[in-house]
Amino acid sequence: MPISASSARTATRSLSVDEALERILAKVRQLEPVTADLMDTLGMTLVEDIVADHDVPPFRNSAMDGYAVIGADVATVPARLRVVGDIAAGGVPARPITRGEAIRIMTGAPMPDGADTIVRVEDTDNGTSTVTIHAATRPGTSVRAAGEDLRTGETVLTRGTILRAAEIGVLATLGHKTVQVTRQPRVAVLSTGDELVELDAPLGPGQIRDANRYSLASAARAVGARAIPLGIVRDTVDDLRRALRDAASKADIIVTSGGVSVGDHDHVKPVVDELGSMDFWSIAIRPGRPLAFGAIDGTLIFGLPGNPVSSLLGFELFVRPALLKMAGRRLLHRPQVAATLDDTLDTPPGLRFFARGIYDPAAGTVRTTGPQGSGILRSMALANCFIDIPDTVQHVDRGGRVIVIRTDQPEDH
Ligand code: AMP
Ligand code: MG
């Protein structure tokens, strides 16, 4: 998503999505380094260079189950060799070999001195006192050199690397039980609304269950953050004040849902203004027009709208990139592709519209998930993408070209 450079006059007009994101990211800093157990570092950003302090593998070893031999002995076949030993992985060779000899060897076992070649067991008669080799084997075959993976003194991972399974394996092989990574962001999640009840409570008149706490905490976890779900906050200034103070003391980012419109019971903005500072933005977007953004004691706060689709979309567009930046990521935006609309779309004038879509990568087509109301959370559950319709477009015919944001793919630019 390109970030536009235009300056913003928030009081008089709505911000564009790009302007809002630009302002948010300007306030976000990468978190400090911490020492973490290697097992807990998946998806984290490495903040140190890793230099191999020994060779990997540490010793010359066999890449196959078979026989360690001298290449010159197996250049012509059949060849018959005397078997003078047996080495399993974890064992050590009892003696070197000389011409005419072989040692049975298993994958990963150290090569005996003198041997320079492995003959696969499949190319032999699998003999125990003597072995007959059927297939001519070139010298050096199936031998893994010490240091063929990592060499002593070599920088094998650099700071800024995102730790995936393979990098974590490399760190493990070098014996790093702990590593220096950017601290995992903590996200406090609270739901505001007098109508909200816990999941196991019976629904009284006018009540609904608190969906957003679960969806937003999960969205935070999905981006590698630690979610701190803090429950339901009643629509009173006192309750909100208490909850936000508590949240600010526990988290790097507070995400609230509900209470950011202009209704009589929408207290998020005034309370954050009192405790810290709050920008309230109208963003030229549907769903999810109101977004409150500010800080309390250095903790950033995102006041997302209460409608379940709006809050999750707001999280995806604004909170997720902020969390990625905090975590030291450089790639903050999901991949976008052009697709052919297999549907028709009518969208509101002057607002950038994010329809929930099902993108078919094989066909290059996308269709909507059905009714697109901001309270229709199923539209999100069925989706694997957003269809991103510019504010200047109000109608797209079947067969029209649209931009799709692939929320099923990790960030790529
Ligand atoms: P609000 O932004 O507080 O005006 O709420 C907008 C709509 O979202 C209302 O219909 C609320 O009942 C609904 N809503 C607010 N919070 C939640 C929540 N945590 N889970 C599900 N729906 C919610
Ligand atoms: Mg409300």
Side-chain angles (χ1 to χ4, degrees):
M1 210 181 304
I3 305 257
S4 73
S6 64
S7 70
R9 290 167 297 128
T10 48
T12 52
R13 66 179 178 89
S14 292
L15 289 182
S16 71
V17 170
D18 292 347
E19 284 169 325
L21 184 58
E22 184 180 16
R23 289 176 173 218
I24 288 165
L25 292 178
K27 292 267 163 61
V28 173
R29 298 281 165 265
Q30 181 170 350
L31 295 175
E32 72 281 2
V34 291
T35 303
D37 282 343
L38 182 61
M39 195 52 102
D40 300 330
T41 59
L42 181 64
M44 292 186 169
T45 306
L46 188 67
V47 292
E48 56 179 336
D49 290 339
I50 301 294
V51 177
D53 66 354
H54 61 78
D55 280 350
V56 176
F59 48 87
R60 208 166 61 104
N61 69 91
S62 175
M64 292 282 176
D65 296 330
Y67 294 82
V69 300
I70 293 166
D73 283 343
V74 295
T76 53
V77 290
R80 214 169 124 90
L81 302 174
R82 213 151 34 85
V83 179
V84 297
D86 199 323
I87 323 167
V92 283
R95 49 161 285 194
I97 62 167
T98 55
R99 293 296 300 261
E101 293 180 338
I103 286 183
R104 271 175 79 80
I105 192 165
M106 301 302 136
T107 305
M111 289 293 287
D113 287 343
D116 62 6
T117 302
I118 299 292
V119 179
R120 302 185 308 164
V121 71
E122 296 90 328
D123 294 335
T124 73
D125 66 355
N126 200 14
T128 49
S129 55
T130 62
V131 60
T132 302
I133 286 146
H134 311 304
T137 308
R138 272 205 315 255
T141 297
S142 299
V143 176
R144 300 194 282 217
E148 74 169 20
D149 184 358
L150 314 174
R151 277 213 173 283
T152 307
E154 188 186 4
T155 301
V156 295
L157 295 172
T158 53
R159 59 183 299 144
T161 299
I162 309 305
L163 298 178
R164 303 170 306 166
E167 286 81 7
I168 289 171
V170 167
L171 288 160
T173 213
L174 287 172
H176 291 262
K177 210 169 157 47
T178 61
V179 281
Q180 295 285 307
V181 292
T182 301
R183 181 167 66 74
Q184 181 186 39
R186 297 162 305 179
V187 182
V189 178
L190 25 105
S191 302
T192 75
D194 284 342
E195 72 279 33
L196 303 177
V197 296
E198 294 294 344
L199 308 197
D200 53 359
L203 286 179
Q207 294 183 327
I208 60 168
R209 297 208 172 90
D210 174 13
N212 294 350
R213 177 174 15 138
Y214 288 83
S215 60
L216 295 172
S218 302
R221 286 186 184 136
V223 66
R226 183 153 73 81
I228 309 172
L230 291 178
I232 299 168
V233 186
R234 297 293 151 214
D235 283 326
T236 71
V237 167
D238 278 351
D239 279 17
L240 198 55
R241 196 184 277 134
R242 201 173 316 119
L244 289 176
R245 274 210 190 100
D246 177 46
S249 72
K250 292 178 172 157
D252 305 297
I253 284 185
I254 303 168
V255 176
T256 66
S257 66
V260 287
S261 312
V262 290
D264 293 343
H265 303 280
D266 293 336
H267 302 305
V268 173
K269 181 183 183 305
V271 171
V272 178
D273 266 336
E274 176 199 313
L275 300 178
S277 64
M278 182 61 116
D279 281 323
F280 178 75
W281 301 334
S282 172
I283 300 178
I285 180 180
R286 182 167 298 163
R289 194 196 280 237
L291 178 91
F293 175 69
I296 302 172
D297 296 334
T299 296
L300 297 178
I301 172 164
F302 291 79
L304 301 175
N307 277 308
V309 174
S310 309
S311 60
L312 259 189
L313 175 68
F315 191 100
E316 170 68 30
L317 295 179
F318 304 114
V319 185
R320 187 177 163 100
L323 287 170
L324 288 168
K325 186 174 177 191
M326 268 188 178
R329 301 277 190 130
R330 282 185 289 259
L331 304 182
L332 304 181
H333 305 296
R334 303 273 204 185
Q336 297 186 6
V337 291
T340 302
L341 187 66
D342 187 17
D343 228 330
T344 56
L345 258 180
D346 287 295
T347 66
L351 299 177
R352 186 162 161 187
F353 187 73
F354 290 86
R356 280 70 72 202
I358 301 169
Y359 172 62
D360 177 348
T365 57
V366 67
R367 62 193 163 85
T368 68
T369 52
Q372 295 288 309
S374 61
I376 301 178
L377 191 49
R378 201 146 81 93
S379 69
M380 205 92 164
L382 295 172
N384 64 5
C385 69
F386 291 120
I387 309 170
D388 180 358
I389 307 293
D391 58 357
T392 50
V393 174
Q394 277 166 258
H395 176 82
V396 188
D397 272 324
R398 189 178 298 273
R401 296 293 277 174
V402 289
I403 294 294
V404 157
I405 299 174
R406 295 202 59 184
T407 49
D408 60 344
Q409 300 285 308
E411 284 69 10
D412 76 347
H413 67 285

mmCIF file of all heavy atoms in Angstrom, residues 21 44 69 77 81 83 90 100 109 142 174 186 215 225 254 258 278 281 289 297 304-305 361:
data_model
loop_
_atom_site.group_PDB
_atom_site.id
_atom_site.type_symbol
_atom_site.label_atom_id
_atom_site.label_comp_id
_atom_site.label_asym_id
_atom_site.label_seq_id
_atom_site.Cartn_x
_atom_site.Cartn_y
_atom_site.Cartn_z
ATOM 1 N N LEU A 21 -2.434 5.699 8.203
ATOM 2 C CA LEU A 21 -1.384 4.720 8.479
ATOM 3 C C LEU A 21 -0.024 5.395 8.594
ATOM 4 O O LEU A 21 0.782 5.048 9.466
ATOM 5 C CB LEU A 21 -1.366 3.662 7.368
ATOM 6 C CG LEU A 21 -0.370 2.531 7.583
ATOM 7 C CD1 LEU A 21 -0.637 1.799 8.896
ATOM 8 C CD2 LEU A 21 -0.429 1.540 6.418
ATOM 9 N N MET A 44 9.986 -13.914 15.488
ATOM 10 C CA MET A 44 10.602 -12.721 16.082
ATOM 11 C C MET A 44 11.771 -12.231 15.223
ATOM 12 O O MET A 44 12.252 -12.942 14.343
ATOM 13 C CB MET A 44 11.077 -13.026 17.488
ATOM 14 C CG MET A 44 9.917 -13.279 18.439
ATOM 15 S SD MET A 44 10.558 -13.447 20.117
ATOM 16 C CE MET A 44 9.038 -13.389 21.029
ATOM 17 N N VAL A 69 34.597 -46.839 2.440
ATOM 18 C CA VAL A 69 35.623 -47.558 1.662
ATOM 19 C C VAL A 69 36.658 -46.562 1.138
ATOM 20 O O VAL A 69 36.529 -45.350 1.327
ATOM 21 C CB VAL A 69 34.980 -48.306 0.462
ATOM 22 C CG1 VAL A 69 33.939 -49.323 0.927
ATOM 23 C CG2 VAL A 69 34.366 -47.316 -0.536
ATOM 24 N N VAL A 77 33.813 -52.823 -10.607
ATOM 25 C CA VAL A 77 32.970 -53.757 -9.853
ATOM 26 C C VAL A 77 32.719 -55.002 -10.694
ATOM 27 O O VAL A 77 32.853 -54.940 -11.932
ATOM 28 C CB VAL A 77 31.633 -53.101 -9.463
ATOM 29 C CG1 VAL A 77 31.836 -52.045 -8.413
ATOM 30 C CG2 VAL A 77 30.921 -52.511 -10.681
ATOM 31 N N LEU A 81 35.299 -56.680 -0.504
ATOM 32 C CA LEU A 81 36.112 -56.041 0.540
ATOM 33 C C LEU A 81 35.849 -56.739 1.867
ATOM 34 O O LEU A 81 34.767 -57.290 2.097
ATOM 35 C CB LEU A 81 35.749 -54.550 0.668
ATOM 36 C CG LEU A 81 35.905 -53.706 -0.613
ATOM 37 C CD1 LEU A 81 35.378 -52.290 -0.388
ATOM 38 C CD2 LEU A 81 37.373 -53.646 -1.059
ATOM 39 N N VAL A 83 35.067 -56.637 5.729
ATOM 40 C CA VAL A 83 34.374 -55.706 6.638
ATOM 41 C C VAL A 83 35.082 -55.762 7.985
ATOM 42 O O VAL A 83 35.121 -56.817 8.622
ATOM 43 C CB VAL A 83 32.878 -56.066 6.782
ATOM 44 C CG1 VAL A 83 32.186 -55.103 7.740
ATOM 45 C CG2 VAL A 83 32.206 -56.043 5.412
ATOM 46 N N GLY A 90 26.554 -41.412 16.249
ATOM 47 C CA GLY A 90 26.871 -41.263 17.672
ATOM 48 C C GLY A 90 28.070 -42.094 18.079
ATOM 49 O O GLY A 90 28.622 -41.876 19.164
ATOM 50 N N GLY A 100 41.429 -52.575 0.486
ATOM 51 C CA GLY A 100 40.774 -53.879 0.588
ATOM 52 C C GLY A 100 39.819 -53.997 1.760
ATOM 53 O O GLY A 100 39.173 -55.024 1.935
ATOM 54 N N ALA A 109 27.208 -41.067 10.956
ATOM 55 C CA ALA A 109 28.364 -41.557 11.729
ATOM 56 C C ALA A 109 29.655 -40.973 11.155
ATOM 57 O O ALA A 109 29.746 -40.742 9.947
ATOM 58 C CB ALA A 109 28.399 -43.081 11.687
ATOM 59 N N SER A 142 28.871 -39.489 -1.323
ATOM 60 C CA SER A 142 28.078 -39.603 -0.081
ATOM 61 C C SER A 142 28.874 -39.325 1.201
ATOM 62 O O SER A 142 28.527 -39.829 2.272
ATOM 63 C CB SER A 142 27.398 -40.978 0.016
ATOM 64 O OG SER A 142 26.515 -41.154 -1.071
ATOM 65 N N LEU A 174 23.891 -24.489 16.292
ATOM 66 C CA LEU A 174 25.073 -23.797 16.823
ATOM 67 C C LEU A 174 25.040 -23.701 18.347
ATOM 68 O O LEU A 174 25.924 -23.097 18.956
ATOM 69 C CB LEU A 174 25.185 -22.395 16.214
ATOM 70 C CG LEU A 174 25.624 -22.371 14.743
ATOM 71 C CD1 LEU A 174 25.516 -20.962 14.183
ATOM 72 C CD2 LEU A 174 27.060 -22.891 14.603
ATOM 73 N N ARG A 186 3.027 -6.354 23.451
ATOM 74 C CA ARG A 186 1.892 -6.767 24.295
ATOM 75 C C ARG A 186 0.690 -5.912 23.912
ATOM 76 O O ARG A 186 0.798 -4.682 23.871
ATOM 77 C CB ARG A 186 2.214 -6.547 25.772
ATOM 78 C CG ARG A 186 3.389 -7.388 26.290
ATOM 79 C CD ARG A 186 3.921 -6.800 27.591
ATOM 80 N NE ARG A 186 4.273 -5.378 27.375
ATOM 81 C CZ ARG A 186 4.742 -4.583 28.322
ATOM 82 N NH1 ARG A 186 4.910 -5.011 29.540
ATOM 83 N NH2 ARG A 186 5.036 -3.314 28.037
ATOM 84 N N SER A 215 -11.997 -11.859 18.725
ATOM 85 C CA SER A 215 -11.442 -11.699 17.370
ATOM 86 C C SER A 215 -10.208 -10.800 17.405
ATOM 87 O O SER A 215 -9.197 -11.113 16.762
ATOM 88 C CB SER A 215 -12.505 -11.136 16.414
ATOM 89 O OG SER A 215 -12.958 -9.881 16.852
ATOM 90 N N ALA A 225 2.004 -11.044 18.429
ATOM 91 C CA ALA A 225 1.965 -10.252 19.659
ATOM 92 C C ALA A 225 1.406 -11.092 20.796
ATOM 93 O O ALA A 225 0.773 -12.123 20.579
ATOM 94 C CB ALA A 225 1.106 -9.012 19.452
ATOM 95 N N ILE A 254 -2.905 -0.547 23.294
ATOM 96 C CA ILE A 254 -4.256 -0.873 23.764
ATOM 97 C C ILE A 254 -5.176 -0.841 22.550
ATOM 98 O O ILE A 254 -5.108 0.098 21.748
ATOM 99 C CB ILE A 254 -4.765 0.160 24.789
ATOM 100 C CG1 ILE A 254 -3.819 0.276 25.980
ATOM 101 C CG2 ILE A 254 -6.190 -0.187 25.242
ATOM 102 C CD1 ILE A 254 -4.125 1.480 26.883
ATOM 103 N N GLY A 258 -15.610 -0.261 20.138
ATOM 104 C CA GLY A 258 -16.852 0.397 20.538
ATOM 105 C C GLY A 258 -16.584 1.732 21.196
ATOM 106 O O GLY A 258 -15.452 2.059 21.581
ATOM 107 N N MET A 278 -5.368 12.115 22.581
ATOM 108 C CA MET A 278 -6.118 11.336 21.598
ATOM 109 C C MET A 278 -6.370 12.165 20.358
ATOM 110 O O MET A 278 -6.804 13.306 20.438
ATOM 111 C CB MET A 278 -7.464 10.941 22.216
ATOM 112 C CG MET A 278 -8.328 10.102 21.332
ATOM 113 S SD MET A 278 -7.522 8.549 20.941
ATOM 114 C CE MET A 278 -8.616 7.393 21.720
ATOM 115 N N TRP A 281 -9.995 10.518 14.423
ATOM 116 C CA TRP A 281 -9.999 10.678 12.975
ATOM 117 C C TRP A 281 -11.238 10.060 12.373
ATOM 118 O O TRP A 281 -11.665 8.976 12.759
ATOM 119 C CB TRP A 281 -8.800 9.971 12.348
ATOM 120 C CG TRP A 281 -7.498 10.451 12.832
ATOM 121 C CD1 TRP A 281 -7.201 11.681 13.346
ATOM 122 C CD2 TRP A 281 -6.283 9.700 12.853
ATOM 123 N NE1 TRP A 281 -5.880 11.740 13.676
ATOM 124 C CE2 TRP A 281 -5.290 10.540 13.384
ATOM 125 C CE3 TRP A 281 -5.940 8.407 12.460
ATOM 126 C CZ2 TRP A 281 -3.976 10.131 13.536
ATOM 127 C CZ3 TRP A 281 -4.646 7.999 12.610
ATOM 128 C CH2 TRP A 281 -3.661 8.860 13.137
ATOM 129 N N ARG A 289 -15.378 3.801 9.668
ATOM 130 C CA ARG A 289 -14.957 5.173 9.480
ATOM 131 C C ARG A 289 -14.286 5.809 10.704
ATOM 132 O O ARG A 289 -13.242 6.429 10.554
ATOM 133 C CB ARG A 289 -16.157 6.004 9.047
ATOM 134 C CG ARG A 289 -15.788 7.360 8.506
ATOM 135 C CD ARG A 289 -16.998 8.253 8.472
ATOM 136 N NE ARG A 289 -17.838 7.977 7.317
ATOM 137 C CZ ARG A 289 -18.154 8.916 6.422
ATOM 138 N NH1 ARG A 289 -17.684 10.127 6.534
ATOM 139 N NH2 ARG A 289 -18.957 8.632 5.437
ATOM 140 N N ASP A 297 0.572 7.492 28.626
ATOM 141 C CA ASP A 297 1.858 7.129 29.238
ATOM 142 C C ASP A 297 2.734 6.283 28.312
ATOM 143 O O ASP A 297 3.274 5.252 28.735
ATOM 144 C CB ASP A 297 1.643 6.323 30.544
ATOM 145 C CG ASP A 297 0.944 7.157 31.593
ATOM 146 O OD1 ASP A 297 1.069 8.396 31.536
ATOM 147 O OD2 ASP A 297 0.258 6.559 32.442
ATOM 148 N N LEU A 304 -11.052 1.352 18.155
ATOM 149 C CA LEU A 304 -11.696 0.859 16.934
ATOM 150 C C LEU A 304 -13.207 0.895 17.108
ATOM 151 O O LEU A 304 -13.713 0.808 18.231
ATOM 152 C CB LEU A 304 -11.243 -0.581 16.648
ATOM 153 C CG LEU A 304 -9.743 -0.775 16.460
ATOM 154 C CD1 LEU A 304 -9.409 -2.254 16.296
ATOM 155 C CD2 LEU A 304 -9.230 0.021 15.262
ATOM 156 N N PRO A 305 -13.941 0.989 16.014
ATOM 157 C CA PRO A 305 -15.399 0.969 16.125
ATOM 158 C C PRO A 305 -15.899 -0.380 16.624
ATOM 159 O O PRO A 305 -15.181 -1.381 16.567
ATOM 160 C CB PRO A 305 -15.878 1.225 14.691
ATOM 161 C CG PRO A 305 -14.689 1.288 13.821
ATOM 162 C CD PRO A 305 -13.458 1.079 14.630
ATOM 163 N N PRO A 361 -6.769 -17.946 -6.704
ATOM 164 C CA PRO A 361 -5.492 -17.643 -7.363
ATOM 165 C C PRO A 361 -5.344 -18.352 -8.712
ATOM 166 O O PRO A 361 -4.730 -17.807 -9.618
ATOM 167 C CB PRO A 361 -4.427 -18.150 -6.386
ATOM 168 C CG PRO A 361 -5.140 -18.556 -5.153
ATOM 169 C CD PRO A 361 -6.600 -18.668 -5.445
#
